[in-house]
Amino acid sequence: MNIILLGPPGAGKGTQAKVLEESHGLKQLSTGDMLRAAVAAGSDMGLKAKAIMDRGDLVSDEVILAVVAERMDQPDVKKGVVFDGFPRTPAQAEALDSMLAKRGQKLDAVIEMKVEDEELVKRISGRFTCAKCGTGYHDSFARPKVDGVCDVCGGTEFIRRADDNEKTVRDRLKVYNEQTAPLVSYYAKRGNLHSVDGMADIKMVTASIGRILDGIEG
Ligand code: AP5
Ligand code: MG
Ligand code: ZN
């Protein structure tokens, strides 16, 4: 099963993708995480991407598509992928269609996560992530059970993203509305678009996504 979580910055794509890895045996494919790994590794591509990401713009379709195509050729994604933060432009959506077709696969569902702008800014401002396993947390909405210790892996180091400040979040939202929101109608026309109320709490959103996927599998 291949699904896309489509939604603005802070909608909860990464949070729910991690849950789906456990509950549905899918692999999370987060282009944002892949780019941040390239930045951390100090590769040429990473250095170029960092400046773009720090101002909240999109990295070029060409770079993103090369990275995704390479990932899609690895054996661990064969059972199914949850795309998180990809596709983000109509050109990326079209390229994903042909990438899947070429591999004899299809897109089973696109799940749009709807969240109001002010809530997104609040969520992103309080976000932090386990440095070891990538589990996401939030200062007010999703604290680790024991302060300073990751629930999942016991790690004690956490990171905050360079683009998680109010100014960049607002720029990222603008970019989302201009370049990514058109994908909602692109997928609606295909008939595989579903929507969830991303304003609900994390477990409720997980349950809504689960019901959509049950409908598809059944
Ligand atoms: P990317 O990493 O994809 O960031 P994004 O789309 O801006 O989304 P976020 O990761 O900020 O939000 P999320 O939806 O994952 O929310 P999360 O689950 O963490 O992209 C970063 C940059 O890379 C881009 O700006 C661009 O430059 C570049 N890039 C990436 N992909 C690209 C592409 N395809 N093309 C071109 N450029 C690309 O949740 C947020 C917080 O809220 C967390 O703290 C969480 O605990 C909390 N939370 C989650 N759900 C809830 C809930 N229901 N209630 C309360 N709190 C919640
Ligand atoms: Mg994310
Ligand atoms: Zn961890």
Side-chain angles (χ1 to χ4, degrees):
M1 180 162 62
N2 294 304
I3 68 169
I4 294 174
L5 297 181
L6 181 63
K13 303 182 296 294
T15 302
Q16 299 297 336
K18 283 260 182 288
V19 175
L20 288 167
E21 286 202 316
E22 292 300 317
S23 62
H24 286 72
L26 302 175
K27 269 283 162 195
Q28 175 188 18
L29 192 160
S30 160
T31 42
D33 285 351
M34 290 157 90
L35 291 169
R36 281 183 289 278
V39 171
S43 71
D44 261 8
M45 190 265 275
L47 287 177
K48 278 184 207 138
K50 181 170 179 10
I52 299 171
M53 293 166 80
D54 283 353
R55 45 170 210 270
D57 280 340
L58 294 186
V59 173
S60 75
D61 289 337
E62 196 191 346
V63 167
I64 295 292
L65 291 172
V67 167
V68 173
E70 195 189 326
R71 185 72 187 91
M72 290 298 286
D73 282 334
Q74 288 161 10
D76 62 326
V77 299
K78 296 279 182 281
K79 271 176 86 198
V81 174
V82 47
F83 293 99
D84 158 10
F86 173 87
R88 254 176 155 95
T89 61
Q92 290 181 17
E94 283 163 24
L96 176 62
D97 287 339
S98 46
M99 225 183 272
L100 289 172
K102 227 195 262 169
R103 290 166 175 77
Q105 297 185 18
K106 66 178 173 46
L107 191 58
D108 297 282
V110 178
I111 300 174
E112 182 199 8
M113 306 178 70
K114 292 187 174 173
V115 181
E116 287 161 18
D117 285 7
E118 290 317 307
E119 171 74 11
L120 296 171
V121 174
K122 258 192 257 165
R123 284 187 190 179
I124 287 188
S125 312
R127 170 168 59 185
F128 59 99
T129 310
C130 171
K132 205 163 143 198
C133 76
T135 298
Y137 295 98
H138 190 280
D139 290 329
S140 344
F141 311 131
R143 301 186 65 89
K145 289 195 186 81
V146 177
D147 265 348
V149 182
C150 174
D151 294 348
V152 176
C153 76
T156 52
E157 244 186 84
F158 296 89
I159 37 180
R160 290 185 192 254
R161 276 167 48 177
D163 58 345
D164 278 357
N165 55 74
E166 184 167 345
K167 159 88 176 67
T168 311
V169 172
R170 293 199 188 277
D171 292 341
R172 279 155 62 197
L173 273 172
K174 192 162 170 273
V175 168
Y176 178 83
N177 289 325
E178 287 170 3
Q179 302 193 51
T180 309
L183 297 187
V184 172
S185 59
Y186 178 90
Y187 289 116
K189 279 184 205 138
R190 305 285 184 85
N192 55 3
L193 183 75
H194 304 262
S195 290
V196 295
D197 174 15
M199 295 289 286
D201 73 39
I202 294 175
K203 289 209 165 69
M204 300 267 283
V205 177
T206 300
S208 309
I209 294 174
R211 279 193 296 275
I212 292 169
L213 299 185
D214 287 348
I216 290 164
E217 284 166 336

